[in-house]
Amino acid sequence: MAAPLNLDDHPARLVAAEWADHLRRDRRRSDHTVRAYAATAHRLIAFLGRHRGQIIDGDLLAGLDKGDLRAFLAERRGEGLSNVSAARELSAVRAFLDFAGGKARVKGPRIKKGVPRPVTPADIAAIAEDAVESAAEPWIAARDEAVLLLLYGAGLRIGEAVGLTGDALPLGDRLSVTGKRGKTRIVPLLPPVREAVERYAALCPYGYADKEILFRGAKGGPLAPDLIRRAVRAARVRLGLDGRTTPHALRHSFATHLLGRGADLRSLQELLGHASLSSTQVYTGVDAAHLMDVYRNAHPRA
């Protein structure tokens, strides 16, 4: 009598482990990204074992069809995954299957478009991870992640971020930023933002000097803001996000989320480098609109 299949022990799990090592060693992805992507790979393998009722190995991964991926995505959606989270999960699955030699492709879920709203922290994390995964080299991935975190985590304008020079390093818990009209302000740096910039600086092949530009393009020149805009544009298309999700929207989200957590307008004005309070007051309306959306979603008859 044949032994029953052990659908908790698949050879494909070794492929997932090799992929995680590749992400960590060759692609220089953060520990958080490696854990999240590896978890997705293992979820897919476990699902396929149940779905097909057989042991999953590397050859089977390489031969998956669209129906398998649609079934996996349907199960994940049934577990309560949002459209954006589902698109993010599918992006990780595609990257894993590319590593495994797979050819199957399936479109991600459509995201309903609406009026401009702050980008959620989950969407911002998805954009950053997608841009990182799509970068040609590890140091470019680290660069894009650092710039995006400076926009959302410190509220910098894109020109302020790419204009930072080597004398900003080593970083402390605050950063001096020169904004419009040469006005200098001090912004606090959260540990993840500081770590992302330091990770980029350690990987950048061109080095940096005190008065030289910190963020470099692929050939060593100053990083053009449009390269970051293109990376965000490509990420939002792959994730199905609203077309108004731009690098500047990350700065808007920084302001709106701070205001929602109780920051006062004067403090926010200083953090953003606005010359007048009227420029900052727009976020009171944005935050109120966001709260009304939450209310309507929670109370359909409102």
Side-chain angles (χ1 to χ4, degrees):
M1 182 176 180
L5 293 178
N6 180 2
L7 295 183
D8 291 325
D9 186 16
H10 301 280
R13 291 169 66 86
L14 296 177
V15 181
E18 291 170 1
W19 184 52
D21 287 342
H22 165 70
L23 292 174
R24 185 180 295 106
R25 181 186 61 248
D26 303 324
R27 303 292 290 175
R28 301 292 184 91
R29 299 301 183 244
S30 70
D31 289 342
H32 171 76
T33 296
V34 172
R35 284 194 301 271
Y37 275 46
T40 294
H42 287 294
R43 274 195 296 272
L44 175 66
I45 293 166
F47 165 80
L48 291 172
R50 299 190 305 273
H51 182 63
R52 290 197 168 206
Q54 66 184 101
I55 297 297
I56 309 302
D57 58 18
D59 289 340
L60 193 146
L61 286 177
L64 288 184
D65 59 31
K66 291 181 180 179
D68 292 311
L69 298 186
R70 290 195 185 103
F72 171 71
L73 191 59
E75 178 174 278
R76 294 291 289 140
R77 292 300 302 276
E79 293 170 353
L81 220 60
S82 69
N83 278 359
V84 170
S85 295
R88 185 178 177 185
E89 182 106 334
L90 188 56
S91 177
V93 165
R94 286 169 177 156
F96 173 52
L97 293 180
D98 282 344
F99 179 82
K103 304 297 181 185
R105 294 292 182 271
V106 63
K107 291 183 179 180
R110 287 180 163 236
I111 309 297
K112 183 179 178 181
K113 294 184 178 181
V115 295
R117 288 293 180 263
V119 186
T120 68
D123 289 354
I124 292 167
I127 290 169
E129 287 186 12
D130 187 274
V132 163
E133 184 58 38
S134 303
E137 297 182 46
W139 77 268
I140 292 177
R143 178 199 70 191
D144 292 355
E145 181 180 35
V147 172
L148 291 174
L149 286 181
L150 282 168
L151 304 185
Y152 175 65
L156 270 60
R157 301 177 177 93
I158 190 168
E160 295 169 345
V162 301
L164 291 175
T165 55
D167 51 9
L169 301 176
L171 295 172
D173 57 3
R174 286 175 171 74
L175 177 67
S176 177
V177 179
T178 301
K180 291 183 177 180
R181 294 176 292 279
K183 184 179 179 182
T184 299
R185 69 185 189 279
I186 303 297
V187 298
L189 280 184
L190 297 170
V193 180
R194 185 167 62 247
E195 290 162 8
V197 176
E198 290 171 344
R199 184 162 53 247
Y200 157 74
L203 291 174
C204 180
Y206 299 107
Y208 52 87
D210 281 357
K211 299 300 180 184
E212 292 183 355
I213 289 294
L214 177 60
F215 291 108
R216 305 297 190 107
K219 296 183 179 179
L223 174 62
D226 197 49
L227 288 177
I228 300 298
R229 293 189 185 99
R230 271 187 254 165
V232 172
R233 189 182 309 129
R236 79 175 181 234
V237 169
R238 284 188 289 266
L239 294 168
L241 297 175
D242 190 282
R244 288 158 289 196
T245 302
T246 64
H248 196 66
L250 303 190
R251 173 173 151 91
H252 279 297
S253 301
F254 164 83
T256 305
H257 295 160
L258 278 181
L259 188 63
R261 289 177 174 270
D264 64 88
L265 283 176
R266 285 293 181 189
S267 298
L268 198 55
Q269 178 189 0
E270 289 296 322
L271 285 175
L272 294 171
H274 286 160
S276 66
L277 189 61
S278 60
S279 298
T280 313
Q281 285 174 329
V282 66
Y283 295 107
T284 59
V286 172
D287 193 59
H290 176 61
L291 290 175
M292 284 304 298
D293 274 355
V294 173
Y295 174 73
R296 291 189 186 102
N297 288 335
H299 305 280
R301 296 181 182 179

